[in-house]
Amino acid sequence: TDLTSLISQEFPLIVEYRIAKRISVEASAAVTYAYFSNDDYFDQLKNEDLDKKPETDNAFRFGVKYYPSHITNALDGWFLGVQAFTKNTKRSYDDSNNIGKEVLDTKNKEGIALQIGNQFFSDSNFLYEIILGVGVANTTRDYYVRSPLSVMDFDNVKEKNTAFYFQLGLRVGFGN
């Protein structure tokens, strides 16, 4: 599993399969659990009176890796890769009874990244992988804030943006 994904609220199951001597494909499916707020730090300060609880959602990733070494086969050594992903997180509002319906703070992130990394096996078929990546992602978010006109009313906010992001991965797994 990807240990750094645990920090980013993602609990993945990852499978990599060699399709040629130096090429592999990778896929992962994950459960997400939004134990951190979807807000940035300063947004948390303005919405601190809205208590949100973590909910489960999902994430999916698919990638292709090229291992350039002439000494080893795919799945071992340095690689260059491309990865596409979608990740969804959500939190429910404790104050939903005041809004009159169940409401969620949802965030969807879809993107693509270029990666460089190193994957190596130990003697007992345990594998370790370190990944660095850079990519671009589209993020959409749908959430509620207290209305400035009345403390009993809520306004729905929908945001969309595109931004560059960086990946850092440390994976531990097993294989043969």
Side-chain angles (χ1 to χ4, degrees):
T1 190
D2 190 343
L3 299 178
T4 51
S5 288
L6 303 179
I7 295 168
S8 66
Q9 312 171 108
E10 192 174 328
F11 303 90
L13 176 62
I14 304 165
V15 176
E16 185 174 357
Y17 184 76
R18 182 174 60 196
I19 59 171
K21 184 173 181 175
R22 294 193 186 105
I23 298 173
S24 71
V25 292
E26 179 179 78
S28 85
V31 172
T32 60
Y33 187 71
Y35 44 81
F36 293 127
S37 173
N38 284 335
D39 293 321
D40 292 330
Y41 177 73
F42 293 110
D43 288 337
Q44 287 180 35
L45 296 178
K46 73 180 179 190
N47 291 330
E48 63 187 7
D49 61 332
L50 288 176
D51 189 21
K52 297 175 225 171
K53 294 181 181 177
E55 300 282 341
T56 58
D57 215 323
N58 58 55
F60 300 97
R61 296 176 184 271
F62 179 79
V64 176
K65 295 179 181 176
Y66 172 70
Y67 292 80
S69 174
H70 296 286
I71 300 169
T72 62
N73 290 325
L75 304 180
D76 190 22
W78 288 97
F79 66 84
L80 301 171
V82 176
Q83 183 186 76
F85 75 94
T86 180
K87 179 179 177 181
N88 304 293
T89 56
K90 66 183 170 188
R91 296 173 64 86
S92 62
Y93 289 91
D94 270 352
D95 293 0
S96 60
N97 58 344
N98 292 335
I99 299 173
K101 61 181 178 178
E102 180 184 26
V103 293
L104 300 170
D105 177 347
T106 60
K107 186 175 184 180
N108 174 268
K109 192 173 185 179
E110 297 176 339
I112 190 163
L114 298 175
Q115 300 175 322
I116 185 168
N118 192 343
Q119 181 168 276
F120 54 94
F121 287 86
S122 68
D123 291 336
S124 59
N125 282 344
F126 276 96
L127 68 90
Y128 304 93
E129 183 175 15
I130 298 169
I131 302 167
L132 294 173
V134 63
V136 63
N138 295 319
T139 303
T140 56
R141 184 165 173 222
D142 188 3
Y143 63 103
Y144 287 82
V145 295
R146 290 222 187 259
S147 172
L149 303 176
S150 168
V151 293
M152 296 304 290
D153 292 329
F154 295 85
D155 294 331
N156 184 241
V157 179
K158 295 178 188 258
E159 297 175 343
K160 289 184 180 185
N161 66 28
T162 300
F164 287 99
Y165 72 97
F166 296 96
Q167 288 182 327
L168 173 63
L170 174 60
R171 295 180 178 171
V172 177
F174 61 92
N176 53 4

